[in-house]
Amino acid sequence: MKRPTIHDVAAAAGVSRGTVSRLLNGDKYVSPKARVAIERAISETGYVVNRAARSLVTQRTGSIVMVLSEPHEKLFEDPNYSTLIRVAIRLLAERDLSLVMMLAGDAGDRERVVRYVRGGHADGALLVSTHAGDPLVDALAAGPPAVSCGAVIGHENVIPYAAADERLGARQMTEYFVGQGRRRIAMITGPMDTPGGIQRLEGFAEVLGRKATKKLIAHGDWTRASGERAMTELLARTPDIDAVFVASDLMAAGALAALRAAGRSVPGDVAVGGFDDSSVALSTHPPLTTIRQPLAEMAQETVRLLLALIDGVGQVEPVILPTELVIRDST
């Protein structure tokens, strides 16, 4: 069966081929009547846009690349990433744009990402979990527009971003522990070359002041295993801990495992709070008190910022979204 062409669409709609072409290429100056007729004709004929041909005219690829600067295994372990990907795919599809997922966890991965983007295969880049000093950021500078989900340390005024209010969330959790009467409050941070690692620790320290000593702080890397190791380290250093704020739900799940292994009850002996309000928070035993960061809204705003850059629409400013304390049985 012959594949329908733009000529078939024009004939079915009763308009010129040029009018159909203008509509398909995003021209705003097509009358409403012609637009309705063309869209009906496309549906009736089963016409599918030839992306390769259209890109020659529009200089657009029709795709956006999402770059996750983490090792491959973290993509499948952390449910936050699936939320970001799912929302981005849905929103981009509304603009007939495809999402290409690329991982940049090591030098080889970063080189492939740079080759792909500089090769003109994407109209823009969505950066996720970018670490301070990552050479990928500078390497992409000459490429298409880029925005970040979470600030890129050192590039906050260069790369637009949407983020949760990390410090606010950390303060909310720490103030809650203080209000409960907890006296030895510890923290397990995220990586200290990420905004979430730095700013959540800052919020914790802002509440506790001098009580936020190094003995009460251990560092993780967002993985469950790192949360378990950090909790074991804290218990060895300061066995009288009675609360711990963990900078992600996944690490908090590891911390709960370490507390069980040490014979500590939760929340009787030690209260545990996480950060994210991901699916992990409902699957732990007990269910996890946590800080809800609006991941879906962050993804929406990140995509909106990128599309605004691509379209050249107005000034693009960072977006900071509020967090919320969610109380469950771990505190």
Side-chain angles (χ1 to χ4, degrees):
M1 182 177 177
K2 180 185 174 185
R3 180 177 176 178
T5 68
I6 193 171
H7 297 283
D8 298 321
V9 173
V15 300
S16 71
R17 180 188 178 282
T19 301
V20 177
S21 179
R22 287 200 305 276
L23 177 66
L24 295 177
N25 291 324
D27 194 321
K28 299 177 182 178
Y29 301 105
V30 176
S31 73
K33 182 178 178 180
R35 183 181 299 274
V36 170
I38 293 168
E39 290 173 350
R40 183 185 298 118
I42 288 173
S43 177
E44 291 173 351
T45 61
Y47 175 74
V48 177
V49 176
N50 185 324
R51 286 189 176 275
R54 186 168 72 174
S55 68
L56 292 174
V57 177
T58 64
Q59 298 299 302
R60 298 278 182 88
T61 67
S63 67
I64 300 297
V65 61
M66 177 180 280
V67 183
L68 174 62
S69 296
E70 297 289 357
H72 295 63
E73 57 270 17
K74 288 190 181 181
L75 174 62
F76 302 101
E77 183 184 30
D78 194 327
N80 291 337
Y81 299 136
S82 64
T83 299
L84 298 174
I85 293 167
R86 183 177 66 252
V87 173
I89 288 173
R90 175 176 59 80
L91 293 176
L92 292 172
E94 294 174 1
R95 286 279 298 267
D96 197 24
L97 293 168
S98 300
L99 184 71
V100 177
M101 185 73 209
M102 300 191 76
L103 302 180
D106 58 32
D109 288 341
R110 286 191 290 271
E111 185 178 335
R112 281 186 287 276
V113 170
V114 171
R115 284 203 307 269
Y116 183 86
V117 175
R118 286 187 171 177
H121 300 293
D123 297 324
L126 293 167
L127 307 180
V128 179
S129 197
T130 307
H131 295 248
D134 189 338
L136 178 67
V137 177
D138 291 329
L140 292 177
V147 301
S148 176
C149 190
V152 178
I153 296 173
H155 292 76
E156 294 90 343
N157 297 323
V158 179
I159 299 178
Y161 62 91
D165 193 331
E166 314 274 13
R167 290 186 188 86
L168 170 64
R171 290 197 302 269
Q172 288 170 324
M173 182 63 75
T174 312
E175 288 168 353
Y176 171 65
F177 282 147
V178 171
Q180 279 195 315
R182 302 287 176 168
R183 297 182 178 278
R184 292 286 277 173
I185 305 171
M187 181 177 182
I188 298 174
T189 79
M192 296 307 291
D193 59 353
T194 65
I198 294 170
Q199 293 172 18
R200 293 173 199 181
L201 176 57
E202 289 174 347
F204 171 79
E206 285 170 6
V207 174
L208 293 185
R210 292 181 180 179
K211 292 183 179 179
T213 64
K214 288 184 178 180
K215 285 182 64 176
L216 290 169
I217 298 168
H219 303 290
D221 62 8
W222 302 133
T223 64
R224 186 185 188 280
S226 74
E228 188 168 358
R229 285 194 301 269
M231 190 71 247
T232 301
E233 176 187 331
L234 286 169
L235 289 173
R237 285 205 307 250
T238 50
D240 59 341
I241 288 171
D242 63 2
V244 58
F245 167 40
V246 191
S248 80
D249 291 346
L250 195 57
M251 291 195 299
L256 287 170
L259 288 165
R260 281 195 298 272
R264 304 295 182 90
S265 67
V266 176
D269 295 329
V270 183
V272 179
F275 198 112
D276 289 329
D277 197 28
S278 66
S279 58
V280 172
L282 293 173
S283 66
T284 59
H285 301 285
L288 191 63
T289 291
T290 188
I291 296 297
R292 177 178 295 149
Q293 62 168 334
L295 281 171
E297 291 86 347
M298 287 165 58
Q300 290 171 6
E301 288 299 318
T302 303
V303 171
R304 182 186 65 79
L305 291 172
L306 182 60
L307 293 177
L309 278 180
I310 292 172
D311 295 339
V313 179
Q315 187 71 23
V316 175
E317 299 289 344
V319 176
I320 308 296
L321 299 166
T323 56
E324 177 187 354
L325 175 67
V326 179
I327 300 172
R328 298 194 180 96
D329 297 340
S330 67
T331 57

PDB file of all heavy atoms in Angstrom, residues 45-68:
ATOM      1  N   THR A  45      -6.068  10.305   6.181  1.00  0.00           N
ATOM      2  CA  THR A  45      -5.107   9.674   5.264  1.00  0.00           C
ATOM      3  C   THR A  45      -4.079   8.808   5.987  1.00  0.00           C
ATOM      4  O   THR A  45      -3.432   7.954   5.369  1.00  0.00           O
ATOM      5  CB  THR A  45      -4.354  10.739   4.451  1.00  0.00           C
ATOM      6  OG1 THR A  45      -3.613  11.591   5.351  1.00  0.00           O
ATOM      7  CG2 THR A  45      -5.318  11.574   3.627  1.00  0.00           C
ATOM      8  N   GLY A  46      -3.923   9.032   7.295  1.00  0.00           N
ATOM      9  CA  GLY A  46      -2.899   8.292   8.031  1.00  0.00           C
ATOM     10  C   GLY A  46      -1.500   8.805   7.776  1.00  0.00           C
ATOM     11  O   GLY A  46      -0.516   8.094   7.967  1.00  0.00           O
ATOM     12  N   TYR A  47      -1.405  10.066   7.356  1.00  0.00           N
ATOM     13  CA  TYR A  47      -0.094  10.664   7.056  1.00  0.00           C
ATOM     14  C   TYR A  47       0.764  10.766   8.314  1.00  0.00           C
ATOM     15  O   TYR A  47       0.277  11.129   9.386  1.00  0.00           O
ATOM     16  CB  TYR A  47      -0.283  12.051   6.454  1.00  0.00           C
ATOM     17  CG  TYR A  47       1.007  12.810   6.219  1.00  0.00           C
ATOM     18  CD1 TYR A  47       1.853  12.462   5.167  1.00  0.00           C
ATOM     19  CD2 TYR A  47       1.382  13.853   7.063  1.00  0.00           C
ATOM     20  CE1 TYR A  47       3.030  13.147   4.948  1.00  0.00           C
ATOM     21  CE2 TYR A  47       2.564  14.548   6.851  1.00  0.00           C
ATOM     22  CZ  TYR A  47       3.388  14.189   5.791  1.00  0.00           C
ATOM     23  OH  TYR A  47       4.560  14.867   5.588  1.00  0.00           O
ATOM     24  N   VAL A  48       2.038  10.409   8.162  1.00  0.00           N
ATOM     25  CA  VAL A  48       3.011  10.520   9.252  1.00  0.00           C
ATOM     26  C   VAL A  48       4.118  11.461   8.810  1.00  0.00           C
ATOM     27  O   VAL A  48       4.674  11.310   7.705  1.00  0.00           O
ATOM     28  CB  VAL A  48       3.611   9.145   9.626  1.00  0.00           C
ATOM     29  CG1 VAL A  48       4.672   9.311  10.712  1.00  0.00           C
ATOM     30  CG2 VAL A  48       2.521   8.197  10.093  1.00  0.00           C
ATOM     31  N   VAL A  49       4.434  12.439   9.663  1.00  0.00           N
ATOM     32  CA  VAL A  49       5.464  13.423   9.317  1.00  0.00           C
ATOM     33  C   VAL A  49       6.818  12.745   9.155  1.00  0.00           C
ATOM     34  O   VAL A  49       7.217  11.904   9.973  1.00  0.00           O
ATOM     35  CB  VAL A  49       5.559  14.505  10.419  1.00  0.00           C
ATOM     36  CG1 VAL A  49       6.706  15.470  10.101  1.00  0.00           C
ATOM     37  CG2 VAL A  49       4.247  15.260  10.526  1.00  0.00           C
ATOM     38  N   ASN A  50       7.517  13.075   8.086  1.00  0.00           N
ATOM     39  CA  ASN A  50       8.884  12.609   7.871  1.00  0.00           C
ATOM     40  C   ASN A  50       9.815  13.530   8.646  1.00  0.00           C
ATOM     41  O   ASN A  50      10.092  14.652   8.236  1.00  0.00           O
ATOM     42  CB  ASN A  50       9.220  12.647   6.376  1.00  0.00           C
ATOM     43  CG  ASN A  50      10.587  12.071   6.064  1.00  0.00           C
ATOM     44  OD1 ASN A  50      11.528  12.231   6.834  1.00  0.00           O
ATOM     45  ND2 ASN A  50      10.688  11.394   4.924  1.00  0.00           N
ATOM     46  N   ARG A  51      10.291  13.055   9.795  1.00  0.00           N
ATOM     47  CA  ARG A  51      11.105  13.917  10.665  1.00  0.00           C
ATOM     48  C   ARG A  51      12.399  14.350   9.999  1.00  0.00           C
ATOM     49  O   ARG A  51      12.870  15.476  10.192  1.00  0.00           O
ATOM     50  CB  ARG A  51      11.425  13.193  11.983  1.00  0.00           C
ATOM     51  CG  ARG A  51      10.239  13.107  12.924  1.00  0.00           C
ATOM     52  CD  ARG A  51      10.696  12.573  14.271  1.00  0.00           C
ATOM     53  NE  ARG A  51       9.632  12.567  15.236  1.00  0.00           N
ATOM     54  CZ  ARG A  51       9.287  13.598  15.984  1.00  0.00           C
ATOM     55  NH1 ARG A  51       9.930  14.737  15.851  1.00  0.00           N
ATOM     56  NH2 ARG A  51       8.298  13.516  16.847  1.00  0.00           N
ATOM     57  N   ALA A  52      13.010  13.441   9.254  1.00  0.00           N
ATOM     58  CA  ALA A  52      14.287  13.787   8.611  1.00  0.00           C
ATOM     59  C   ALA A  52      14.091  14.933   7.627  1.00  0.00           C
ATOM     60  O   ALA A  52      14.881  15.882   7.586  1.00  0.00           O
ATOM     61  CB  ALA A  52      14.860  12.563   7.904  1.00  0.00           C
ATOM     62  N   ALA A  53      13.016  14.856   6.868  1.00  0.00           N
ATOM     63  CA  ALA A  53      12.763  15.927   5.894  1.00  0.00           C
ATOM     64  C   ALA A  53      12.411  17.229   6.594  1.00  0.00           C
ATOM     65  O   ALA A  53      12.863  18.306   6.201  1.00  0.00           O
ATOM     66  CB  ALA A  53      11.631  15.500   4.955  1.00  0.00           C
ATOM     67  N   ARG A  54      11.592  17.133   7.651  1.00  0.00           N
ATOM     68  CA  ARG A  54      11.193  18.353   8.345  1.00  0.00           C
ATOM     69  C   ARG A  54      12.381  19.031   9.014  1.00  0.00           C
ATOM     70  O   ARG A  54      12.474  20.259   9.050  1.00  0.00           O
ATOM     71  CB  ARG A  54      10.116  18.038   9.394  1.00  0.00           C
ATOM     72  CG  ARG A  54       9.569  19.296  10.053  1.00  0.00           C
ATOM     73  CD  ARG A  54       8.318  19.018  10.852  1.00  0.00           C
ATOM     74  NE  ARG A  54       8.599  18.288  12.073  1.00  0.00           N
ATOM     75  CZ  ARG A  54       7.673  18.025  12.999  1.00  0.00           C
ATOM     76  NH1 ARG A  54       6.408  18.392  12.811  1.00  0.00           N
ATOM     77  NH2 ARG A  54       7.982  17.354  14.089  1.00  0.00           N
ATOM     78  N   SER A  55      13.318  18.227   9.542  1.00  0.00           N
ATOM     79  CA  SER A  55      14.466  18.823  10.226  1.00  0.00           C
ATOM     80  C   SER A  55      15.343  19.629   9.281  1.00  0.00           C
ATOM     81  O   SER A  55      16.009  20.576   9.694  1.00  0.00           O
ATOM     82  CB  SER A  55      15.299  17.733  10.920  1.00  0.00           C
ATOM     83  OG  SER A  55      15.933  16.908   9.966  1.00  0.00           O
ATOM     84  N   LEU A  56      15.341  19.245   7.987  1.00  0.00           N
ATOM     85  CA  LEU A  56      16.109  20.020   7.010  1.00  0.00           C
ATOM     86  C   LEU A  56      15.543  21.421   6.863  1.00  0.00           C
ATOM     87  O   LEU A  56      16.272  22.383   6.611  1.00  0.00           O
ATOM     88  CB  LEU A  56      16.102  19.300   5.653  1.00  0.00           C
ATOM     89  CG  LEU A  56      16.869  17.978   5.579  1.00  0.00           C
ATOM     90  CD1 LEU A  56      16.646  17.319   4.235  1.00  0.00           C
ATOM     91  CD2 LEU A  56      18.359  18.213   5.838  1.00  0.00           C
ATOM     92  N   VAL A  57      14.237  21.556   7.038  1.00  0.00           N
ATOM     93  CA  VAL A  57      13.577  22.848   6.897  1.00  0.00           C
ATOM     94  C   VAL A  57      13.644  23.643   8.190  1.00  0.00           C
ATOM     95  O   VAL A  57      13.982  24.827   8.206  1.00  0.00           O
ATOM     96  CB  VAL A  57      12.103  22.647   6.473  1.00  0.00           C
ATOM     97  CG1 VAL A  57      11.383  23.996   6.401  1.00  0.00           C
ATOM     98  CG2 VAL A  57      12.024  21.919   5.144  1.00  0.00           C
ATOM     99  N   THR A  58      13.316  22.979   9.308  1.00  0.00           N
ATOM    100  CA  THR A  58      13.191  23.689  10.591  1.00  0.00           C
ATOM    101  C   THR A  58      14.506  23.812  11.342  1.00  0.00           C
ATOM    102  O   THR A  58      14.613  24.591  12.287  1.00  0.00           O
ATOM    103  CB  THR A  58      12.200  22.954  11.497  1.00  0.00           C
ATOM    104  OG1 THR A  58      12.724  21.648  11.806  1.00  0.00           O
ATOM    105  CG2 THR A  58      10.838  22.814  10.829  1.00  0.00           C
ATOM    106  N   GLN A  59      15.510  23.021  10.952  1.00  0.00           N
ATOM    107  CA  GLN A  59      16.774  22.952  11.691  1.00  0.00           C
ATOM    108  C   GLN A  59      16.544  22.446  13.122  1.00  0.00           C
ATOM    109  O   GLN A  59      17.291  22.782  14.036  1.00  0.00           O
ATOM    110  CB  GLN A  59      17.476  24.328  11.706  1.00  0.00           C
ATOM    111  CG  GLN A  59      17.852  24.830  10.332  1.00  0.00           C
ATOM    112  CD  GLN A  59      18.825  23.917   9.618  1.00  0.00           C
ATOM    113  OE1 GLN A  59      19.915  23.634  10.111  1.00  0.00           O
ATOM    114  NE2 GLN A  59      18.438  23.418   8.457  1.00  0.00           N
ATOM    115  N   ARG A  60      15.497  21.664  13.303  1.00  0.00           N
ATOM    116  CA  ARG A  60      15.201  21.034  14.591  1.00  0.00           C
ATOM    117  C   ARG A  60      15.252  19.523  14.418  1.00  0.00           C
ATOM    118  O   ARG A  60      14.862  18.988  13.377  1.00  0.00           O
ATOM    119  CB  ARG A  60      13.812  21.438  15.101  1.00  0.00           C
ATOM    120  CG  ARG A  60      13.641  22.938  15.354  1.00  0.00           C
ATOM    121  CD  ARG A  60      14.201  23.339  16.694  1.00  0.00           C
ATOM    122  NE  ARG A  60      14.008  24.755  16.970  1.00  0.00           N
ATOM    123  CZ  ARG A  60      12.927  25.276  17.557  1.00  0.00           C
ATOM    124  NH1 ARG A  60      11.922  24.490  17.890  1.00  0.00           N
ATOM    125  NH2 ARG A  60      12.855  26.575  17.795  1.00  0.00           N
ATOM    126  N   THR A  61      15.687  18.824  15.463  1.00  0.00           N
ATOM    127  CA  THR A  61      15.787  17.364  15.400  1.00  0.00           C
ATOM    128  C   THR A  61      14.525  16.680  15.891  1.00  0.00           C
ATOM    129  O   THR A  61      14.295  15.513  15.595  1.00  0.00           O
ATOM    130  CB  THR A  61      16.962  16.865  16.262  1.00  0.00           C
ATOM    131  OG1 THR A  61      16.664  17.115  17.645  1.00  0.00           O
ATOM    132  CG2 THR A  61      18.253  17.559  15.868  1.00  0.00           C
ATOM    133  N   GLY A  62      13.741  17.389  16.717  1.00  0.00           N
ATOM    134  CA  GLY A  62      12.550  16.781  17.296  1.00  0.00           C
ATOM    135  C   GLY A  62      12.855  15.913  18.495  1.00  0.00           C
ATOM    136  O   GLY A  62      12.003  15.123  18.926  1.00  0.00           O
ATOM    137  N   SER A  63      14.044  16.058  19.078  1.00  0.00           N
ATOM    138  CA  SER A  63      14.385  15.248  20.252  1.00  0.00           C
ATOM    139  C   SER A  63      15.114  16.090  21.297  1.00  0.00           C
ATOM    140  O   SER A  63      15.782  17.075  20.978  1.00  0.00           O
ATOM    141  CB  SER A  63      15.251  14.048  19.861  1.00  0.00           C
ATOM    142  OG  SER A  63      16.521  14.471  19.407  1.00  0.00           O
ATOM    143  N   ILE A  64      14.946  15.677  22.545  1.00  0.00           N
ATOM    144  CA  ILE A  64      15.610  16.282  23.686  1.00  0.00           C
ATOM    145  C   ILE A  64      16.397  15.187  24.385  1.00  0.00           C
ATOM    146  O   ILE A  64      15.894  14.074  24.566  1.00  0.00           O
ATOM    147  CB  ILE A  64      14.578  16.877  24.682  1.00  0.00           C
ATOM    148  CG1 ILE A  64      13.731  17.956  24.001  1.00  0.00           C
ATOM    149  CG2 ILE A  64      15.275  17.425  25.916  1.00  0.00           C
ATOM    150  CD1 ILE A  64      14.489  19.164  23.530  1.00  0.00           C
ATOM    151  N   VAL A  65      17.615  15.484  24.804  1.00  0.00           N
ATOM    152  CA  VAL A  65      18.421  14.491  25.514  1.00  0.00           C
ATOM    153  C   VAL A  65      18.392  14.785  27.008  1.00  0.00           C
ATOM    154  O   VAL A  65      18.563  15.932  27.431  1.00  0.00           O
ATOM    155  CB  VAL A  65      19.874  14.446  24.983  1.00  0.00           C
ATOM    156  CG1 VAL A  65      20.598  15.770  25.169  1.00  0.00           C
ATOM    157  CG2 VAL A  65      20.654  13.315  25.658  1.00  0.00           C
ATOM    158  N   MET A  66      18.105  13.754  27.806  1.00  0.00           N
ATOM    159  CA  MET A  66      18.203  13.860  29.256  1.00  0.00           C
ATOM    160  C   MET A  66      19.494  13.175  29.685  1.00  0.00           C
ATOM    161  O   MET A  66      19.714  12.001  29.374  1.00  0.00           O
ATOM    162  CB  MET A  66      17.011  13.210  29.958  1.00  0.00           C
ATOM    163  CG  MET A  66      17.106  13.245  31.487  1.00  0.00           C
ATOM    164  SD  MET A  66      15.688  12.475  32.332  1.00  0.00           S
ATOM    165  CE  MET A  66      14.483  13.796  32.235  1.00  0.00           C
ATOM    166  N   VAL A  67      20.351  13.910  30.401  1.00  0.00           N
ATOM    167  CA  VAL A  67      21.660  13.389  30.786  1.00  0.00           C
ATOM    168  C   VAL A  67      21.692  13.179  32.299  1.00  0.00           C
ATOM    169  O   VAL A  67      21.612  14.139  33.072  1.00  0.00           O
ATOM    170  CB  VAL A  67      22.792  14.358  30.368  1.00  0.00           C
ATOM    171  CG1 VAL A  67      24.145  13.752  30.719  1.00  0.00           C
ATOM    172  CG2 VAL A  67      22.709  14.664  28.883  1.00  0.00           C
ATOM    173  N   LEU A  68      21.803  11.926  32.716  1.00  0.00           N
ATOM    174  CA  LEU A  68      21.914  11.584  34.131  1.00  0.00           C
ATOM    175  C   LEU A  68      23.377  11.329  34.459  1.00  0.00           C
ATOM    176  O   LEU A  68      23.985  10.381  33.942  1.00  0.00           O
ATOM    177  CB  LEU A  68      21.081  10.345  34.452  1.00  0.00           C
ATOM    178  CG  LEU A  68      21.220   9.774  35.868  1.00  0.00           C
ATOM    179  CD1 LEU A  68      20.772  10.797  36.913  1.00  0.00           C
ATOM    180  CD2 LEU A  68      20.431   8.481  36.008  1.00  0.00           C
TER     181      LEU A  68
END
